[in-house]
Amino acid sequence: MTPAAQVSAAIEILEKLADNRRPAGDVIKEWGLSHRFAGSKDRAAISSLVFDALRKRASSAFVMGENSARAVMIGALREARGLSPEGVGLLFSGEGHAPAPLTLQERERLEQGTLDGAPAHVRGDYPEWLGEKLEAAFGSEAAAEGAALSARAPVDLRVNIIKASRDQAMAKLAHLGAAPTPLSPFGLRILPGADGRGPALAAETAFIKGLVETQDEGSQLAALLCGAEPGAQILDLCAGGGGKTLALAAQTHNRGQIYAFDDDGRRLAPIHERLERAGVRNVQVRAPRGKADVLTDLEGRCDIVLIDAPCTGTGTWRRHPDAKWRLAPGALEQRQQDQRELLDQAVRFVKPKGRIVYVTCSLLREENEDQISAFLGAHPAFSALPASDVAEKGGLPELARFASPHGVGLRFSPLTSGTDGFFVAALQKGDVV
Ligand SMILES: C[S@@+](CC[C@H](N)C(=O)[O-])C[C@H]1O[C@@H](n2cnc3c(N)ncnc32)[C@H](O)[C@@H]1O
């Protein structure tokens, strides 16, 4: 397919997405199945165009003065890809499978359209209904945070220190331009290409041999801030595919025991292969078994209970830009309910002086600081560790500068830390001295 035909396909997919709240990945896959002539490189290029347009959907529509899929694509070619009006015009030639030529008005908008006077939710490319909540979290920086969330994310890797040092892994990935991440001592970063596509990591020997795992730097920091020491008893209560479980196993140097649980057994499925590849030997996977309580034996025994809570994922919009437009207020309420229940459930596993580490990849106070203050109100036996103590325990005292301005915990975001958005709070059983 020509680049112009790929743009036509992206517009077709954006039209389908405008009518429903379906995940973009599903609609792109469907398009591929009904257009068999498109090869894998075409599909990747189309997917990248769709994601760029979704990242900048509101600002592109504003610049173009219209919110059709075509207008959003045209605007995003300028806003996300920096194409000149001439560059866009070359793609919109009307020849073959290219989209129809630019109208006079479209060209004019491309040349002169600006975000001057645009409201914060447009400048920040997020849904209007979330505006108040993001302002509660970020004040006058809400639009700037949103704009940072609407940029492309790099590919971050965590070096598996069970198998290699960061320098050794970096040398193996030098051909991809891998460089150290600024905050995590085990992170490597690979920047996306001009077309927005990342490297084919699954084919890399360093990945196949378990030297590296894909993990955003913010997620690496959240795992480090658990302060897990070799020999610790750790319950990873929302282990999912095991991203944090693997990081904790490396931090504990395979010593002690990590119990990986998730109430959705299907989500745990990839963990077995990942543990094997990483050379991890101190993880027990506790899959749910009907109504049986598979965690009873852990009551009162854990040094750390990690709750990597289900959340709105507002901190990961760089990687899942469709999620911001699909998010509905009801989903936020449901997640808050899940989080409250998980915090209550975690209590029974913590031993005296042990702690709950509560993590979300959300930026909303409702899912973060507010949850923690409600928990502390209901559970006087627990105290929040100050951000500086959490950072210290994680071996990264300099992270104390990310202390939340809204009370307990630490906050990371694309604008402040260059990572996905994450919130981390540690709640100790017993007084903090
Ligand atoms: C943010 S994801 C976990 C990601 C994972 N820890 C990682 O680092 O790759 C949240 C997980 O919580 C699980 N979950 C939701 N409600 C739960 C509950 N009540 N008990 C245990 N797990 C739950 C979901 O199935 C989902 O896999």
Side-chain angles (χ1 to χ4, degrees):
M1 291 173 77
T2 61
Q6 291 166 352
V7 172
S8 289
I11 293 173
E12 196 183 320
I13 292 165
L14 287 168
E15 272 161 3
K16 289 203 167 85
L17 286 169
D19 304 335
N20 56 54
R21 284 184 188 268
R22 293 182 60 205
D26 289 0
V27 176
I28 292 168
K29 202 167 161 194
E30 238 170 58
W31 185 93
L33 289 172
S34 56
H35 296 78
R36 296 275 185 188
F37 59 84
S40 63
K41 282 198 174 140
D42 292 320
R43 289 198 305 274
I46 293 163
S47 171
S48 175
L49 284 163
V50 169
F51 280 94
D52 273 350
L54 291 170
R55 285 190 184 93
K56 302 280 183 191
R57 192 173 99 176
S59 56
S60 299
F62 188 90
V63 164
M64 295 305 292
E66 196 193 319
N67 63 7
S68 67
R70 173 182 163 96
V72 167
M73 189 73 253
I74 294 173
L77 286 169
R78 188 190 91 169
E79 296 297 299
R81 301 212 163 186
L83 258 61
S84 65
E86 291 68 37
V88 179
L90 287 175
L91 291 168
F92 285 68
S93 64
E95 286 160 20
H97 296 286
L102 294 178
T103 63
L104 269 181
Q105 195 196 346
E106 285 170 341
R107 183 170 272 276
E108 214 172 87
R109 284 285 189 168
L110 268 177
E111 280 163 0
Q112 293 161 24
T114 70
L115 286 175
D116 290 352
H121 68 89
V122 170
R123 283 180 283 124
D125 271 295
Y126 48 77
E128 191 171 1
W129 71 271
L130 275 175
E132 215 174 88
K133 298 185 189 310
L134 288 168
E135 269 157 43
F138 298 113
S140 59
E141 289 292 281
E145 286 283 355
L149 277 161
S150 71
R152 288 181 192 149
V155 173
D156 285 354
L157 306 174
R158 179 182 53 78
V159 175
N160 176 18
I161 51 170
I162 295 173
K163 293 212 166 174
S165 69
R166 175 152 78 173
D167 284 347
Q168 287 167 332
M170 190 161 67
K172 298 234 181 293
L173 295 168
H175 57 289
L176 299 177
T181 51
L183 300 171
S184 162
F186 311 125
L188 289 176
R189 179 161 289 170
I190 300 171
L191 297 177
D195 60 359
R197 291 167 57 191
L201 263 179
E204 290 294 328
T205 314
F207 177 80
I208 295 164
K209 295 205 163 164
L211 273 58
V212 292
E213 267 290 339
T214 311
Q215 187 173 34
D216 175 74
E217 189 182 32
S219 179
Q220 296 179 38
L221 297 178
L224 282 164
L225 291 171
C226 289
E229 286 176 2
Q233 297 289 308
I234 303 171
L235 170 58
D236 185 355
L237 196 52
C238 301
K244 304 224 176 26
T245 316
L246 288 160
L248 291 168
Q251 276 166 55
T252 50
H253 299 283
N254 259 335
R255 303 215 311 268
Q257 196 64 235
I258 302 170
Y259 304 91
F261 175 78
D262 197 290
D263 79 339
D264 182 346
R266 288 163 306 180
R267 293 216 179 217
L268 288 167
I271 207 173
H272 301 280
E273 193 208 320
R274 293 177 87 186
L275 292 172
E276 178 83 27
R277 192 173 56 228
V280 167
R281 293 187 308 276
N282 66 336
V283 170
Q284 273 185 34
V285 180
R286 297 278 180 100
R289 277 191 274 119
K291 289 202 187 319
D293 184 347
V294 296
L295 302 174
T296 334
D297 58 317
L298 302 180
E299 278 179 18
R301 276 189 46 207
C302 296
D303 297 290
I304 298 169
V305 179
L306 169 61
I307 304 176
D308 190 14
C311 69
T312 53
T314 41
T316 65
W317 283 345
R318 296 186 305 175
R319 300 177 197 281
H320 309 290
D322 54 332
K324 61 182 165 184
W325 308 117
R326 291 171 51 221
L327 185 64
L332 169 60
E333 282 158 28
Q334 182 57 54
R335 294 290 87 84
Q336 288 175 268
Q337 175 68 23
D338 297 340
Q339 292 153 4
R340 275 192 292 274
E341 287 173 11
L342 275 158
L343 278 161
D344 288 342
Q345 280 167 33
V347 167
R348 74 178 168 122
F349 301 112
V350 187
K351 75 180 196 193
K353 298 287 172 203
R355 56 191 183 278
I356 295 172
V357 179
Y358 176 81
V359 174
T360 71
C361 56
S362 168
L363 296 169
L364 306 180
R365 285 176 66 164
E366 290 84 343
E367 299 181 88
N368 298 335
E369 295 88 349
D370 295 358
Q371 286 289 16
I372 298 304
S373 32
F375 174 84
L376 292 172
H379 298 274
F382 282 80
S383 324
L385 285 180
S388 53
D389 287 13
V390 181
E392 193 85 41
K393 278 191 191 296
L396 297 166
E398 64 279 12
L399 294 188
R401 71 179 189 276
F402 296 106
S404 165
H406 308 302
V408 293
L410 295 96
R411 278 181 163 264
F412 302 92
S413 72
L415 189 65
T416 56
S417 53
T419 64
D420 281 354
F422 271 94
F423 173 79
V424 183
L427 309 161
Q428 180 168 299
K429 187 169 177 179
D431 292 337
V432 175
V433 280

